[in-house]
Amino acid sequence: MATLKVECVVKEKNEIGEGPVWEEKDGCLLYVDIYGPKINRWNSLTNQIESMCTETYVGCVVPRRSGGYVIGEGTRFAAVDWERRAITTITKVDTEKTNTRFNDGKVDPAGRFFAGTMAVEVRPAELERKQGSLYSLLPDHSVVKHFDQVDLSNGLDWSPDHRFFYYVDSLTYMVEAFDYDIHTGGVANRRMVYRLEKDEGIPDGMCIDVEGKLWLACYNGGRVLRIDPLTGTRLQTVKMPVAKITSCCFGGKDYTDLYVTSACKGMDEESLAKQPQAGCIFKVSGLGVKGIPPNSFSG
């Protein structure tokens, strides 16, 4: 049995590090600092970080099959030409609102980019309720709005057999599941699969492993949980050296490492002194499970 190891690999602090995606070809971790606001690529081989600033809050970044990336930034889906450092609007959402922004997002196995919105925060996790929605950007650049009345749209992923879609609206303090139609991108039959216990914090970003188990980052909980979404049981708790854990993804050799992002925004000097690695990115190895390679937007 491999020994569990947690190490700080990206020591450059993020205000709110989020949305990690492993790029196998280059051995890079792609992620955003929402309040940076910027997109970052950390090269695991050279330990170098390349960054690109965005105009406003950037909630998520995903690879694009035709090259470059697509981001959920402010209230727009936008294309990123990394080489030219250029960002071009694809389409806008929440056009009737003035106070929302994109948060977490991910690409489904058919190449659709799902991302949700939330009200801009007054302070971390303090915001106007029920202002967010969940959207998907289709390959033809049209947008589907799946549902609204969301507080803080967050982690999302699909089961390995593509039958289920898992989703977090953080302020409900639970993980939910939907039946998923991979052919249409439709979601149905919403239900709870796991409710967080009081000391586990606020559910944030998440990913799934090849066994269909979820890995959930717990903001203010200082941990990542492994959850069986079919039984609703917590299988494992990985304690982290910082409290504000924001998201996670599998990467590294054979997708056996779990990369975990964190935040330092809103922490006072005393808290930062106790948690000097707040805002850094960690690698958890020795878990004994493999993740699933990320999907790329096909449009």
Side-chain angles (χ1 to χ4, degrees), residues 60 62-65 69-73 75-80 88-93 102 104-116 133-146 156 158 180 184-185 296-299:
C60 49
V62 297
R64 191 177 190 179
R65 210 170 288 172
Y69 306 112
V70 182
I71 54 175
E73 180 211 17
T75 53
R76 67 173 177 167
F77 284 109
V80 176
T88 313
T89 299
I90 294 173
T91 188
K92 294 191 173 179
V93 302
F102 269 117
D104 210 351
K106 196 168 282 183
V107 179
D108 87 340
R112 307 174 186 96
F113 181 15
F114 276 67
S133 302
L134 181 70
Y135 295 97
S136 57
L137 177 67
L138 305 189
D140 65 0
H141 294 179
S142 62
V143 172
V144 174
K145 182 176 180 177
H146 295 278
L156 61 171
W158 292 262
Y180 193 66
T184 65
S296 296
F297 177 62
S298 62

Side-chain angles (χ1 to χ4, degrees), residues 24 250-257 289-291:
E24 188 174 359
F250 281 94
K253 186 173 165 55
D254 298 328
Y255 290 89
T256 55
D257 296 325
V289 296
K290 288 184 181 183

Side-chain angles (χ1 to χ4, degrees), residues 21 34 47 64 67 125 136 146 177 229 249 266 282 284:
V21 183
I34 295 177
N47 201 31
R64 191 177 190 179
S136 57
H146 295 278
C249 79
F282 303 86
V284 184

